[in-house]
Amino acid sequence: MISLQNIEKVYRTTNIETLALNNINLDIAKGEFLSIMGPSGCGKSTLLNIMGLLDAPSKGQIKIADQTTGNLSDKQLAKFRNQKLGFIFQSYHLINDLQVLDNVELPLLYRDTTAKERRQLASEALEKVGLSNRMKHFPTQLSGGQRQRVAIARAIVGRPEIILADEPTGNLDSAMGNEIMDILINLNKNDGTTIIMVTHDEHMAQKTHRLVRLFDGSQVL
Amino acid sequence: MFKHLFKLIWNKKKQNSLLIVEILLSFMVLFAVFAFGINSYRNYVKPIGINYEHVWVINYNNSLKTQNSDSLTLFYEGLLRNIKAMPQVIDAGYSSSNVPFSTSHTNNTISANGKEVPSVNQFSGDINYINVLGAKMQAGRWYNKEDFASKQNITVINNALKEKIFGNTDAVGKYLNYGDDKTHSKTKIIGVLNDIKFNGDYQRAEVSMYNRLDTGAYHWLTSILVKVDPKADAAFESRLYKLMANALKNSNIELEHLPNKLVAYNKFTLVPLIVMSIVAAFLIINVALGIFGVLWYNINKRRGEIGLRRAIGASGNSVSSQLVAEALIVATFSLIIGAFFAVQFPLLNVFDLPASVYLLALALAILFIYILVLICSLYPGKQAAAIYPAVALHEE
Ligand SMILES: Nc1ncnc2c1ncn2[C@@H]1O[C@H](COP(=O)(O)OP(=O)(O)OP(=O)(O)O)[C@@H](O)[C@H]1O
Ligand SMILES: [Mg+2]
């Protein structure tokens, strides 16, 4: 599903060069649930951003769903992200001025859909994460766990083949974290969604199929 | 997408309210400037109604000891004959002091045809008046020598007054009344004179009446209009002055040129337009900076949202057009409120201007605001498109 070859990422600021990723080679199969662990600053988010086509590697090749992505235009990349990928972030990134339902509909706005279809798909996604009764709420009226469930609903509303989650439980207590984890596991099991998750929590990582460890930009496991 | 943006702005109406008020204010000022400007222009392109070149005005005061009307008539008729006899004088005649482009006005309410017309300008001129000024009768006739001696109530009105009272029908031979008595009209209209823009190039020809001078008029007349040859020079001007000074001892004699008076009057009427334009320019600069600043601020505050939109499928261009569209929607809120106020002007006929002036001003002001907002939002929009999604998503 995802294939990374010799990925290297160098950040250059005026007088410092950071080698954030060093020669990463990784193949992720369709339907796999992969977790990435490592100390802070080791390049986990950088790797996820590169897999999510939000950032380009300094060197190396990425293939997603049999598509080489190196020379896609900004517009093509945007379309690709919209159709193949779903994102979940530690800080949710919900738009506080929009109701839950409108937040979940967001990815569909960048597709050819009717208002009715959007409503339908967003309600279904919210049902999956158990938030059908919060559709008219604003994000600020929800708990952290509920917000992350909204973010998951938003990530899955467009039925992507791949979900990229950067510390989805990082801001939550363990009970809420487990709830989120269960939703992700179900998505992987029932819908066959490929999931790549960055986590600091060994316990969460144990629940996934495979664990990749990074240290100082290099893959150590 | 439009509905989505509308919702987003509606939910943020508090944050947007200052900008909405600012745009509304500049819209209203622009609307006023445009309405004023368009109206001035429309007046400007209409004919002025007289040929004021080489027309001079002699202002004097009656310093004769005698109060006898016959002696006065004899004297002033002789004076006018002497002026006309000068080689460079083409024609000359007596006029009430409200000569064209002077600031003095006399108004009266008149009634006719079951209608009452307030503020009708009252002029008086002798038989030479329209010839000196080069004005034209549109119907009927101007006064002649016999009218001067007769006692009948007759008058001449201008075309604007004729249209106001009689519309397209003929006015000559009909009657009107001074004051508000609409039934017993006594003064007979003998002619309709073309409209004269006596308030200068930028103001319309007001409704006017030209009254008959009778034998008592020399008691109060103080102005003579003189049409001179183009070759008339300063030497002639001083000779004319001397003639007046010799005839009217101890009188204040003053000579003016109508073209100069027109220039002065035009300046006077353009001052408000210029002041308003300056105010509008300041406001517009203010609004432009305001829109620019608010968008700039918004973009920095909304980096997370922008990063997210990029992640879920927005291209750089669609992010930038979203921000431009949001600014245009905010402007639309202001313009809807503004247009509501603006249409009250023609509906309530606030300044007695034609509705078409207001509508054109409305359309121009709306167009101007949209273009302004578009220009001010293009650059911030471009900046937003350049935000790195990976970085923006990382910040929170
Ligand atoms: N935009 C950037 N410019 C410069 N350096 C960066 C940038 N983003 C990340 N880095 C650097 O790259 C390295 C990897 O960062 P990254 O965010 O991937 O770490 P991480 O493993 O996700 O850490 P954490 O667990 O704290 O989230 C760090 O040293 C970081 O300082
Ligand atoms: Mg990270």
Side-chain angles (χ1 to χ4, degrees):
Chain A
M1 194 77 209
I2 302 179
S3 144
L4 303 176
Q5 281 168 25
N6 307 317
I7 296 294
E8 191 179 303
K9 179 71 186 180
V10 182
Y11 285 114
R12 284 190 184 85
T13 49
T14 32
N15 43 22
I16 320 165
E17 235 178 51
T18 315
L19 183 63
L21 291 176
N22 184 16
N23 195 26
I24 303 285
N25 288 283
L26 199 57
D27 272 296
I28 301 160
K30 190 169 165 56
E32 201 172 355
F33 193 159
L34 181 95
S35 54
I36 302 174
M37 289 193 76
S40 185
C42 70
K44 305 182 296 292
S45 295
T46 305
L47 181 60
L48 210 63
N49 284 338
I50 285 173
M51 283 197 257
L53 305 178
L54 293 170
D55 208 350
S58 310
K59 250 190 224 160
Q61 247 201 10
I62 315 150
K63 245 173 142 181
I64 303 177
D66 292 327
Q67 164 95 50
T68 320
T69 56
N71 39 21
L72 293 180
S73 70
D74 180 61
K75 208 172 156 187
Q76 288 169 321
L77 284 173
K79 192 172 170 198
F80 193 91
R81 286 195 295 267
N82 179 260
Q83 300 194 327
K84 305 276 186 206
L85 307 176
F87 291 88
I88 302 167
F89 307 94
Q90 180 175 356
S91 53
Y92 326 126
H93 280 299
L94 299 176
I95 297 175
N96 287 333
D97 295 303
L98 290 176
Q99 289 171 353
V100 163
L101 191 63
D102 294 319
N103 264 291
V104 174
E105 280 184 16
L106 222 45
L108 303 176
L109 281 171
Y110 296 96
R111 283 186 196 182
D112 251 346
T113 48
T114 64
K116 213 176 134 190
E117 284 166 350
R118 287 197 291 273
R119 198 109 305 202
Q120 177 67 30
L121 289 170
S123 315
E124 281 173 22
L126 279 167
E127 210 159 305
K128 260 192 183 148
V129 298
L131 276 181
S132 311
N133 53 345
R134 294 284 191 278
M135 292 202 285
K136 295 287 163 195
H137 283 58
F138 284 93
T140 44
Q141 300 166 323
L142 301 179
S143 73
Q146 287 172 326
R147 285 186 211 189
Q148 195 58 295
R149 273 146 68 189
V150 175
I152 293 173
R154 182 183 63 197
I156 62 172
V157 72
R159 311 233 161 102
E161 296 168 50
I162 302 164
I163 283 181
L164 301 166
D166 196 346
E167 299 186 42
T169 59
N171 279 2
L172 305 173
D173 64 30
S174 61
M176 282 212 252
N178 282 330
E179 252 177 60
I180 298 297
M181 199 58 203
D182 289 344
I183 294 173
L184 292 178
I185 288 168
N186 276 332
L187 274 174
N188 175 253
K189 251 193 207 146
N190 302 339
D191 301 353
T193 311
T194 308
I195 302 180
I196 297 109
M197 177 181 79
V198 169
T199 183
H200 275 298
D201 192 329
E202 288 283 351
H203 178 68
M204 301 288 179
Q206 292 307 321
K207 297 187 187 177
T208 66
H209 301 160
R210 176 149 70 115
L211 171 65
V212 168
R213 280 191 197 274
L214 291 186
F215 188 80
D216 258 359
S218 298
Q219 190 178 344
V220 293
L221 189 82
Chain B
M1 194 50 136
F2 178 79
K3 211 176 140 193
H4 168 72
L5 294 183
F6 187 87
K7 224 184 261 179
L8 199 57
I9 290 164
W10 184 252
N11 291 343
K12 283 200 282 199
K13 51 188 175 301
K14 261 203 200 112
Q15 284 112 294
N16 286 320
S17 57
L18 185 69
L19 193 58
I20 289 175
V21 170
E22 229 180 323
I23 296 175
L24 173 63
L25 203 67
S26 43
F27 165 78
M28 291 312 287
V29 174
L30 268 178
F31 172 69
V33 169
F34 283 142
F36 198 168
I38 291 164
N39 189 51
S40 298
Y41 176 76
R42 283 168 58 135
N43 290 332
Y44 177 76
V45 293
K46 281 195 188 126
I48 196 153
I50 57 173
N51 182 5
Y52 53 84
E53 294 294 344
H54 312 295
V55 177
W56 296 357
V57 185
I58 307 170
N59 292 310
Y60 63 92
N61 54 300
N62 180 15
S63 59
L64 299 184
K65 297 235 161 50
T66 176
Q67 290 301 313
N68 180 295
S69 286
D70 289 343
S71 323
L72 279 177
T73 303
L74 215 60
F75 173 82
Y76 281 106
E77 280 183 348
L79 177 63
L80 191 64
R81 257 199 310 279
N82 288 341
I83 292 170
K84 281 187 178 182
M86 297 178 88
Q88 274 105 331
V89 171
I90 294 167
D91 205 350
Y94 288 98
S95 160
S96 48
S97 63
N98 50 354
V99 296
F101 323 136
S102 74
T103 46
S104 105
H105 294 93
T106 313
N107 293 302
N108 217 333
T109 299
I110 67 120
S111 314
N113 201 21
K115 290 182 186 131
E116 189 180 316
V117 186
S119 304
V120 177
N121 285 275
Q122 305 291 321
F123 298 91
S124 302
D126 69 7
I127 58 173
N128 308 301
Y129 186 84
I130 62 166
N131 190 37
V132 174
L133 286 177
K136 298 263 166 345
M137 297 306 296
Q138 294 202 330
R141 64 172 179 90
W142 185 250
Y143 302 111
N144 58 29
K145 254 202 155 66
E146 288 73 51
D147 298 327
F148 187 68
S150 83
K151 284 268 178 282
Q152 34 170 338
N153 294 318
I154 53 175
T155 192
V156 170
I157 63 176
N158 76 345
N159 192 54
L161 182 57
K162 179 225 136 191
E163 298 215 323
K164 196 147 202 170
I165 301 176
F166 300 104
N168 287 327
T169 62
D170 224 356
V172 176
K174 304 220 170 93
Y175 291 82
L176 60 77
N177 245 355
Y178 292 93
D180 53 8
D181 182 357
K182 295 192 194 69
T183 44
H184 305 96
S185 300
K186 291 188 214 82
T187 306
K188 185 178 180 186
I189 299 162
I190 60 163
V192 177
L193 188 64
N194 69 255
D195 286 336
I196 298 171
K197 292 194 291 186
F198 54 87
N199 287 332
D201 281 320
Y202 301 102
Q203 293 194 33
R204 66 174 168 196
E206 305 284 350
V207 286
S208 307
M209 279 171 73
Y210 295 85
N211 298 306
R212 182 177 67 102
L213 287 180
D214 57 20
T215 47
Y218 292 118
H219 285 284
W220 54 265
L221 282 172
T222 55
S223 296
I224 302 173
L225 291 168
V226 187
K227 177 85 174 179
V228 299
D229 192 271
K231 289 196 275 292
D233 52 10
F236 166 73
E237 191 168 332
S238 68
R239 261 191 291 142
L240 181 61
Y241 184 87
K242 264 187 209 131
L243 183 144
M244 288 297 297
N246 284 334
L248 287 160
K249 299 266 165 15
N250 305 323
S251 167
N252 288 322
I253 314 286
E254 189 193 19
L255 253 164
E256 294 176 302
H257 297 205
L258 273 195
N260 298 346
K261 283 179 81 74
L262 174 62
V263 170
Y265 206 102
N266 282 346
K267 272 191 194 146
F268 172 73
T269 43
L270 282 182
V271 163
L273 185 59
I274 292 165
V275 170
M276 261 167 58
S277 303
I278 292 169
V279 170
F282 270 111
L283 259 171
I284 285 158
I285 291 170
N286 214 333
V287 163
L289 291 176
I291 294 168
F292 200 80
V294 167
L295 288 179
W296 194 266
Y297 174 76
N298 270 351
I299 285 162
N300 284 311
K301 227 178 48 180
R302 290 169 68 185
R303 286 174 66 88
E305 180 191 332
I306 290 165
L308 173 84
R309 286 182 187 271
R310 296 295 304 271
I312 60 172
S315 64
N317 284 338
S318 70
V319 163
S320 104
S321 36
Q322 178 196 334
L323 287 160
V324 172
E326 279 183 26
L328 293 176
I329 292 171
V330 169
T332 304
F333 276 111
S334 307
L335 293 176
I336 288 169
I337 303 168
F340 170 79
F341 286 117
V343 295
Q344 303 305 314
F345 284 83
L347 288 181
L348 304 174
N349 200 9
V350 180
F351 290 119
D352 196 25
L353 296 182
S356 58
V357 168
Y358 288 121
L359 293 181
L360 188 57
L362 181 67
L364 281 178
I366 288 174
L367 192 70
F368 191 104
I369 291 284
Y370 272 134
I371 290 173
L372 182 77
V373 171
L374 185 67
I375 289 171
C376 291
S377 56
L378 280 180
Y379 185 69
K382 231 186 168 142
Q383 290 295 303
I387 288 177
Y388 242 135
V391 176
L393 285 165
H394 212 72
E395 281 162 357
E396 267 175 62

